[in-house]
Amino acid sequence: MSPKTFGFNTLVAAAVLVYWACGGDSTGPLVQEDPRPARAFAMSGDGQTGTVGQVLPVALVVQVKDQAGDVMRRVTVTFSVTKGGGTVSEGAVVTDANGQASVNWTLGTTAATAQEVTATVASATSVTATFTATATPDVAAVLVSDSGDGQNAYLGTRLPSDIVVLVQDQYGNGVSGQEVQFMATAGSGSLDLTVAFTDATGRARTGWTVGINGGQNTALALVQGLTGSPIVFTATAHSLNVESVGPNPLLLGQTGTISGTGFDVIPANNIVTIGGETVTVTAATPTQLEIAVPSRCIPAGAYDVQVTVGSFTAPSQSADIEPAAFLDMAVGEQVIIQDPSQFCLQFEATPGPEEYLIGVQSTSENVTTLTPITVTGAIAPDAVAAATAAMPAFASNTQPGTPMDMTRSSRLSRHRAAEAEIRELDRANYESLSNRPAGPQRLAMAPAVVDGTVSVGDTIPINVLADGATSCNQFDVITTVVRAKGTTSIWLEDIANPPGGYTQSDFQSLVSGFDNLVYTADVAQFGQPTDTDANGGVVMVITKE
């Protein structure tokens, strides 16, 4: 009984395994999916090259397959031109037994435009195939003038631009490799080339030198058998020429002379430019022009001088321009300029580097107002420099900016207001002292507030002018600390200053700069200063007040 039972169970298990191996579930048998268009292939005709407006030699053939990779018969495929403006022989074609549909393609008429046809399965518009082609120009048919006609040049010189013709097919496409003949026919001029070939754009060109006699010159461009051939070009040989410009150099704001030929005797009919800027002609003869050299501040250097009379422009001539005098200063020298006509500062070129400190003081006599000033730096057009500077002076009003800009602007405004008060107070005190009689009492010195023996770290009370003070007797007392001490200066800092100010390293730099540069330059320019408080140095107080 045991073996029989064991065998039965084994058969049942096998049956179950076979049932599940057949797949499916308890709901019923599998349903087979119907064929549908899945892919379209460009079988032939893609990537051809043909002549514009012509039918390509190979037909476009597309094949459609289903999801299983089998070809699909009786499927409609539409063909449409998507680039280039050409045409196809049929708009819609049904696939044959091989799943293929074909049409003929006539290219568009513009060679420079990409050519493209798209084949789309009508029942599945996402299934497409693309064909591209390259269109080349048709045979040469037309010769047209492209550029260079109607120019002028001085006797026996080349025209500014070449004369150029364009060879085109019947559709206006440029034809390359076409031979063009050029010849000078009147005016005793000459051409660089008598035969030229068109480039990739269909253009052929040559340079042209006009004759040595004044008047009209003509030249021909010729291609046998083309519509529009020959093309006639004209040019004018003129006698307008600039031979020299003097004096050398021209001086800003003074008079100059241009010598040459072909000038108009009426001054206003001669248009003269220097560096592109039109200048005034004050007198004229056929061979000489008197001009007013610009007076505005321009850097010394070489500039192009050009004369135009009517439609003729003479070849440009280079001329040097300089100021009547360069500003020559010795090291440490100071020059004060008050005449606005002298505000153009020109420094002559030197072999080595130079540095200048330029300061601007308000031109207003009212110390509470400010005059907007702009200082700009420039170099000559042919010069080389590390940099040019442009520095707008502080104006009485400020423009909106970043928070940092506004903070800095506010601080500078307070500084200028305090400076104005100090200057006004100095003026009042100076006038008061000037009205006193001379005598020993004016020479007496008060004990030094800051003794020359102080050391770094010492605390010293200092009187500073109070807000709105009108005399030296109106002051506030601040507490300062000696931060640095040099050979000619003592630097104090208000202990009430906000944090983040000068560091100890900064104070050492200030001492070094004053002792070695500022003080030395002042002594060289103005002589040794007096020591009115007998402490052997100049006291600097850094205070928020």
Side-chain angles (χ1 to χ4, degrees), residues 205-373:
R205 67 188 66 232
T206 183
W208 187 5
T209 299
V210 298
I212 59 175
N213 300 315
Q216 190 176 78
N217 288 227
T218 59
L220 296 181
L222 174 69
V223 179
Q224 293 289 349
L226 297 192
T227 301
S229 178
I231 301 294
V232 179
F233 290 90
T234 63
T236 303
H238 63 75
S239 61
L240 180 60
N241 189 45
V242 175
E243 297 174 354
S244 65
V245 180
N248 186 23
L250 296 173
L251 299 181
L252 289 176
Q254 298 190 16
T255 299
T257 301
I258 299 175
S259 298
T261 58
F263 302 145
D264 196 303
V265 296
I266 300 176
N269 290 345
N270 302 277
I271 308 302
V272 177
T273 61
I274 298 180
E277 178 180 346
T278 302
V279 301
T280 302
V281 179
T282 56
T285 70
T287 59
Q288 195 169 83
L289 300 177
E290 297 294 329
I291 61 171
V293 182
S295 58
R296 71 181 185 87
C297 191
I298 59 176
Y303 293 83
D304 284 338
V305 178
Q306 202 160 57
V307 178
T308 299
V309 179
S311 60
F312 303 145
T313 299
S316 61
Q317 185 79 250
S318 180
D320 291 331
I321 297 182
E322 293 183 359
F326 288 103
L327 183 57
D328 185 18
M329 300 175 63
V331 175
E333 181 181 359
Q334 174 178 275
V335 175
I336 299 176
I337 302 173
Q338 296 177 302
D339 184 357
S341 67
Q342 299 176 357
F343 285 175
C344 179
L345 311 179
Q346 296 237 24
F347 304 96
E348 195 167 14
T350 60
E354 294 181 346
E355 293 183 357
Y356 297 89
L357 178 62
I358 300 176
V360 179
Q361 182 174 341
S362 174
T363 57
S364 171
E365 294 185 1
N366 184 348
V367 296
T368 63
T369 64
L370 296 171
T371 303
I373 299 292

Side-chain angles (χ1 to χ4, degrees), residues 75-80 88-95 101-103 119-122:
V75 173
T76 299
V77 178
T78 61
F79 292 85
S80 60
V88 290
S89 57
E90 295 182 73
V93 181
V94 177
T95 58
S102 65
V103 295
T120 305
V121 177

Side-chain angles (χ1 to χ4, degrees), residues 452 484-491 508 510-517 519-520 528 531 535-538:
K485 184 178 178 183
T487 58
T488 63
S489 60
I490 301 172
W491 293 78
Q508 292 302 325
L510 291 170
V511 168
S512 176
F514 186 87
D515 289 351
N516 300 322
L517 179 62
Y519 188 83
T520 301
Q528 190 72 31
D531 188 7
N535 60 7
V538 179

Side-chain angles (χ1 to χ4, degrees), residues 102-182:
S102 65
V103 295
N104 292 318
W105 183 8
T106 300
L107 295 176
T109 58
T110 304
T113 303
Q115 309 280 321
E116 184 180 277
V117 167
T118 301
T120 305
V121 177
S123 60
T125 56
S126 63
V127 180
T128 63
T130 301
F131 299 83
T132 61
T134 301
T136 59
D138 202 351
V139 296
V142 182
L143 182 68
V144 297
S145 175
D146 184 75
S147 62
D149 189 30
Q151 299 181 77
N152 60 76
Y154 179 66
L155 304 175
T157 64
R158 284 173 60 89
L159 294 174
S161 302
D162 291 345
I163 55 174
V164 185
V165 293
L166 178 60
V167 177
Q168 298 175 325
D169 65 12
Q170 61 176 320
Y171 302 112
N173 299 297
V175 180
S176 63
Q178 177 67 51
E179 180 181 310
V180 179
Q181 295 180 331
F182 290 98

